[in-house]
Amino acid sequence: MQQLVQQLSTGKPMLVETSQPLYDAKSVLVRTRYSAISPGTESATVRSARKSLIGKALERPQDVRATLELLKKQGLTQTYRAVTKRLDSDSPLGYSCSGVVVGVGNQAREFHVGQRVACAGVGYANHAEYVSVPVNLCVPLENHAQLKYAAYNTLGAIALQGTRQADLRLGESCVVIGLGAIGVLTALILRASGVRVLGLDVKASTVERVKSLGINAFCRCDRSIEGEVARLTDGYGADAVIIAASAQDEDPIQFAGRLARQRGRVVVLGDVPTGFDRNPDYYPKELELRMSCSYGPGRYDPDYEEHGHDYPHAYARWTENRNMRAFQHLIASGQLNLESFTTHLVPFAKAPDAYKTILERKEPFLGVLLDYEWDEEAFIHELADQVDLASQVAYDPPVTEASNQNEETPPRRGSRMFLAGSGATGSLVRAVKYSFIGAGSYAQGSLLPNLPKGIQFTRYAVATHSGLSARRAKSKFKFERCDLTPDQILDKEESDAVIIATRHDSHAEYLIRALQHGLSVFLEKPLCLALEEYVAVARQFELSPNQYVMVGYNRRYSRLATTLKEQMTTDPCVINYRVNAGAIPRKHWSQDRLVGGGRILGEACHFIDLTTYLAGSLPVSVRAQALPDPQSLNDVVVAQIRFENRSLATIHYLSNGSSALEKERIEVFQSGASAVIENFHTLRYYSPQGRVKRLRCRDKGQKQMLYAFLNAVSRDLPAAHEEILRVWLATYAVEESLRSGREVALI
């Protein structure tokens, strides 16, 4: 399919070929008929991307601070990769569209294939031929609904939320400052609800365009504005002023205070500074200043937008989804006529030209739609004739046990063989063709750049949820294909192995399916999130004893860890591991128990694995304690681990420390000797020799880990399934111990 994107380094809008997006159980897949350009928001995005690096830095000082912090914590190499990855990526454009449903998740019960819908959301309702949208960002339309005007879905919901914040009644008055697309929609909605409206804008051409829609409008430079507001309101002033403008100075908010009546309301809908003098208007008039947050309650809440959890109707009457439905009802009932509002209808194939029109401002515009130019009636009839209703349901991951299958182990897929090694003692290995699923920030920063090179390792296909990152990964890291879905990679016969770096909630499903299809698997940590998933994975390991599996515990492959391990004996040891992890916001996906599993399952597994490697023995029991936490994040934890060989490890996982302190410090005590690894940069031996090993840059072992995986697959080496399972059990036991307050035995 084709999608409209902009290059973040240049800001150039362009159409690119990419794969269809995936949809999950609480999402729908939609074929786009029309999408609406938000002239203000999207043109600002493009202009920002077109600035120089210095211009970008001046515009976003918070990003500069974050980059400097990353440089301090991760070093130059990782920071450079992160910055270049961001600048080289293609960013999707658009967040409002309409179309026809072609795929339905099994928990999206309100929708069906062939249904007309309107969609919203940055990163979801993009300018693309197909979009995947969560249920709470999608609204069903009536059969006679016009998809052309339904495409203004997001813009209309934003405008409607602004009017709700103004809290106006029939017959009251409102001034709308800023007559761009959202400002005009705001004025049209207010007029439809019986509110007396006056619009203001700094451009005379815009004012004339708005007047043609029947809205009373004035230019900001017109000195008669205050008199007109007084005439409109019998001398009292406007009941509310809605600021839908974008400005760098405080004029809009100061002027709004002058136009509002005593105890009136000023609503900030646009991007304007909110600093103001409380005199002479805000303080003596007792004005109320309100912010309008995008489309309404639910915005920026992952539970609502991503997981489909609605707010109770009685306590949140107008959520973002209900605002969208109300806006669509205004259109369907004829109360809101958007025919004249639509000034440009541009074929999708010429979408970059539409942005040129908006950026150059050589002609007036309001509503700008992209037309994907296909016959929706014929398409819906074709769907009704051909769709298999069973295919509407998205794949349900197995969570209790592996699906029934023949007990015979699936054959290895690779067949090409050659000698590798030193001289005549080389060993027979096979070439490995592998694929990659998931190309998010970590994958692009730490995994993809470290993939080993060589004639025995062939990069076949890369797949992601959106397709854009897959396209970039294919180009930058030289994969053969990016047009396959994860399902197609797992089901087809072209690959011998797969590297899975998706979000944590998909790990168990993808691992089991890959093993069932005869693939060897590198799985980014964690192994899984729930005990029932663990049982299913363990069962699949029994059915796939000869397939190599590695979990992405990279620290055991770091140069300092392997160097230290070589010097250790088989005697029991004591390990102290301090992790200054830092705080992560509660709303980050990794804190979501259903998606990321929380920080213990999602990250602390790294440190349990490294202590297992250094101890040279499997963990047998865990006891953990945590600081009291009203949010129950469990990210200030001390865990004690006992191993089969009587070694002991204590892991301090801390989110309440200073960012100025290094992240990781590992102390090992054994047989009269001690050693310390400081943040994977320095290894110090406290022994008669007293050696110190320093690296030029921090090494956490990603490169060595990936080579070890592909090398093991090529040589048909056995996987340490028991160790993988025991490390996950020990990680799970940390949380179980926190719940019970007791030591948890693993065997």
Side-chain angles (χ1 to χ4, degrees):
M1 72 166 195
Q2 285 200 312
Q3 180 169 355
L4 183 67
V5 302
Q6 70 160 340
Q7 294 177 316
L8 288 180
S9 57
T10 65
K12 179 182 178 182
M14 59 182 181
L15 290 171
V16 298
E17 193 70 31
T18 185
S19 58
Q20 286 187 16
L22 304 180
Y23 64 100
D24 59 23
K26 292 186 177 180
S27 299
V28 294
L29 183 66
V30 177
R31 184 181 183 188
T32 308
R33 181 63 183 88
Y34 296 95
S35 60
I37 295 177
S38 176
T41 301
E42 295 188 55
S43 63
T45 300
V46 174
R47 286 194 183 95
S48 176
R50 289 183 173 182
K51 292 183 178 180
S52 65
L53 284 176
I54 294 177
K56 289 181 173 75
L58 292 174
E59 188 176 66
R60 303 179 67 87
Q62 69 277 15
D63 288 350
V64 176
R65 288 193 294 271
T67 301
L68 293 175
E69 189 68 23
L70 182 64
L71 179 63
K72 183 168 62 176
K73 288 183 176 181
Q74 300 292 338
L76 181 61
T77 301
Q78 290 296 333
T79 303
Y80 176 77
R81 284 176 179 169
V83 172
T84 54
K85 174 183 72 68
R86 177 65 176 162
L87 292 177
D88 290 346
S89 61
D90 295 333
S91 176
L93 290 168
Y95 58 88
S96 187
C97 68
S98 62
V100 175
V101 175
V102 295
V104 182
N106 62 356
Q107 296 181 44
R109 298 180 180 89
E110 186 179 4
F111 300 92
H112 60 82
V113 169
Q115 186 176 32
R116 291 177 172 88
V117 292
C119 310
V122 175
Y124 298 113
N126 304 317
H127 300 310
E129 292 181 306
Y130 289 88
V131 296
S132 173
V133 186
V135 291
N136 279 346
L137 293 175
C138 187
V139 294
L141 303 176
E142 299 177 21
N143 289 334
H144 66 276
Q146 296 187 62
L147 291 180
K148 180 188 293 186
Y149 305 128
Y152 292 115
N153 192 44
T154 306
L155 283 68
I158 293 171
L160 188 53
Q161 178 62 14
T163 68
R164 296 201 190 285
Q165 288 295 82
D167 195 20
L168 293 162
R169 307 293 195 275
L170 180 69
E172 292 186 335
S173 59
C174 182
V175 174
V176 178
I177 298 178
L179 297 176
I182 291 178
V184 172
L185 285 173
T186 301
L188 292 173
I189 291 170
L190 289 170
R191 189 179 66 179
S193 62
V195 173
R196 292 176 290 168
V197 185
L198 186 146
L200 304 178
D201 199 271
V202 295
K203 293 189 176 181
S205 59
T206 299
V207 169
E208 292 305 312
R209 164 68 69 175
V210 172
K211 283 182 177 179
S212 69
L213 301 178
I215 297 172
N216 191 16
F218 290 83
C219 189
R220 172 65 180 86
C221 60
D222 194 326
R223 296 183 178 180
S224 66
I225 292 174
E226 293 182 56
E228 184 63 24
V229 171
R231 186 192 66 77
L232 182 71
T233 63
D234 298 325
Y236 291 107
D239 294 293
V241 181
I242 298 177
I243 303 174
S246 176
Q248 299 296 316
D249 58 36
E250 297 172 2
D251 179 71
I253 202 160
Q254 293 290 162
F255 195 49
R258 286 162 55 188
L259 300 180
R261 66 166 170 83
Q262 188 84 17
R263 307 194 73 184
R265 292 171 296 282
V266 175
V267 177
V268 177
L269 184 58
D271 183 11
V272 296
T274 53
F276 57 88
D277 280 338
R278 49 185 222 147
N279 287 314
D281 298 302
Y282 280 85
Y283 175 68
K285 288 183 178 181
E286 290 188 298
L287 297 181
E288 185 177 352
L289 181 64
R290 296 184 178 183
M291 305 298 293
S292 182
C293 180
S294 200
Y295 343 148
R299 187 71 181 104
Y300 307 114
D301 181 355
D303 283 339
Y304 182 90
E305 293 191 333
E306 296 179 17
H307 304 321
H309 300 308
D310 199 4
Y311 296 162
H313 189 279
Y315 296 95
R317 177 64 184 90
W318 293 108
T319 61
E320 56 182 327
N321 185 273
R322 292 173 195 139
N323 274 336
M324 288 186 274
R325 290 172 187 258
F327 176 70
Q328 296 299 336
H329 176 72
L330 287 172
I331 297 173
S333 64
Q335 295 172 274
L336 200 59
N337 187 338
L338 299 180
E339 183 176 358
S340 298
F341 172 81
T342 304
T343 57
H344 291 74
L345 185 63
V346 181
F348 181 60
K350 297 183 178 180
D353 294 341
Y355 281 82
K356 185 177 180 180
T357 298
I358 293 171
L359 291 169
E360 293 181 352
R361 294 184 176 274
K362 291 183 178 179
E363 55 185 278
F365 56 84
L366 281 175
V368 181
L369 292 176
L370 299 180
D371 184 353
Y372 292 72
E373 298 182 304
W374 50 270
D375 189 329
E376 64 196 71
E377 293 292 344
F379 180 69
I380 291 173
H381 286 307
E382 182 181 342
L383 281 177
D385 292 338
Q386 298 180 6
V387 70
D388 177 358
L389 293 182
S391 69
Q392 295 184 26
V393 180
Y395 180 78
D396 249 346
V399 295
T400 55
E401 61 176 285
S403 57
N404 294 330
Q405 63 173 17
N406 192 306
E407 293 291 327
E408 294 182 4
T409 303
R412 296 265 189 175
R413 296 187 181 190
S415 59
R416 294 170 296 153
M417 300 288 185
F418 56 91
L419 271 178
S422 175
T425 61
S427 58
L428 193 65
V429 300
R430 61 192 180 95
V432 177
K433 179 184 283 190
Y434 65 94
S435 294
F436 202 106
I437 299 177
S441 296
Y442 177 74
Q444 293 200 37
S446 299
L447 296 182
L448 286 163
N450 285 310
L451 290 174
K453 300 176 182 178
I455 60 172
Q456 72 270 39
F457 303 135
T458 301
R459 302 176 185 183
Y460 176 56
V462 58
T464 64
H465 185 277
S466 68
L468 276 182
S469 52
R471 177 180 174 273
R472 177 180 180 274
K474 173 185 178 294
S475 174
K476 184 170 183 178
F477 300 106
K478 311 304 180 187
F479 283 85
E480 294 178 10
R481 301 183 66 173
C482 66
D483 58 337
L484 299 178
T485 66
D487 287 348
Q488 290 171 325
I489 286 177
L490 296 175
D491 294 344
K492 289 180 178 292
E493 296 295 323
E494 283 86 349
S495 300
D496 308 308
V498 61
I499 298 173
I500 298 170
T502 55
R503 286 191 173 184
H504 303 167
D505 56 334
S506 63
H507 285 190
E509 171 199 344
Y510 282 160
L511 172 61
I512 290 172
R513 292 180 64 190
L515 293 177
Q516 289 173 347
H517 287 85
L519 287 163
S520 292
V521 182
F522 173 92
L523 180 71
E524 181 48 40
K525 54 80 190 166
L527 179 69
C528 55
L529 296 184
L531 195 58
E532 55 267 32
E533 290 181 337
Y534 167 85
V535 173
V537 168
R539 173 59 177 157
Q540 189 61 51
F541 279 172
E542 293 178 2
L543 299 173
S544 310
N546 298 321
Q547 288 165 254
Y548 193 82
V549 176
M550 177 186 286
V551 177
Y553 300 132
N554 51 279
R555 283 161 174 79
R556 65 163 56 204
Y557 296 95
S558 66
R559 282 176 286 172
L560 297 185
T562 56
T563 299
L564 174 58
K565 178 63 177 174
E566 289 171 358
Q567 303 302 314
M568 295 178 66
T569 69
T570 58
D571 294 340
C573 64
V574 174
I575 304 169
N576 291 329
Y577 200 153
R578 191 264 296 141
V579 184
N580 183 34
I584 292 180
R586 180 174 180 79
K587 288 191 175 182
H588 190 271
W589 71 267
S590 64
Q591 299 277 30
D592 188 321
R593 293 286 170 168
L594 297 177
V595 179
R599 300 189 74 183
I600 298 302
L601 284 175
E603 186 184 21
C605 54
H606 264 311
F607 318 119
I608 293 174
D609 176 78
L610 183 55
T611 59
T612 300
Y613 169 69
L614 293 175
S617 181
L618 297 178
V620 294
S621 70
V622 175
R623 182 179 183 87
Q625 292 180 298
L627 283 185
D629 180 6
Q631 298 189 81
S632 300
L633 295 180
N634 287 338
D635 55 4
V636 183
V637 176
V638 177
Q640 297 172 312
I641 304 171
R642 290 193 302 114
F643 296 89
E644 288 180 353
N645 69 353
R646 297 178 298 158
S647 291
L648 300 173
T650 302
I651 298 174
H652 295 76
Y653 185 82
L654 312 170
S655 68
N656 61 342
S658 168
S659 61
L661 178 66
E662 62 188 13
K663 181 178 179 180
E664 296 175 52
R665 179 182 175 90
I666 305 120
E667 299 176 342
V668 179
F669 304 84
Q670 185 184 56
S671 304
S674 303
V676 177
I677 295 177
E678 298 174 355
N679 215 25
F680 296 95
H681 187 274
T682 304
L683 170 60
R684 298 178 184 273
Y685 291 101
Y686 294 85
S687 63
Q689 291 77 22
R691 290 171 295 162
V692 177
K693 181 173 183 177
R694 291 187 178 89
L695 303 180
R696 294 183 61 186
C697 59
R698 191 176 295 109
D699 170 32
K700 291 188 178 181
Q702 283 96 347
K703 185 173 184 178
Q704 300 92 305
M705 172 184 65
L706 291 168
Y707 177 80
F709 168 69
L710 292 173
N711 183 59
V713 175
S714 70
R715 296 177 183 273
D716 288 336
L717 298 180
H721 289 165
E722 183 181 8
E723 187 174 62
I724 290 172
L725 293 171
R726 191 73 67 86
V727 167
W728 187 89
L729 268 184
T731 310
Y732 180 80
V734 172
E735 295 202 328
E736 185 61 32
S737 179
L738 293 176
R739 285 189 288 266
S740 66
R742 297 191 297 270
E743 184 175 12
V744 177
L746 306 182
I747 55 175

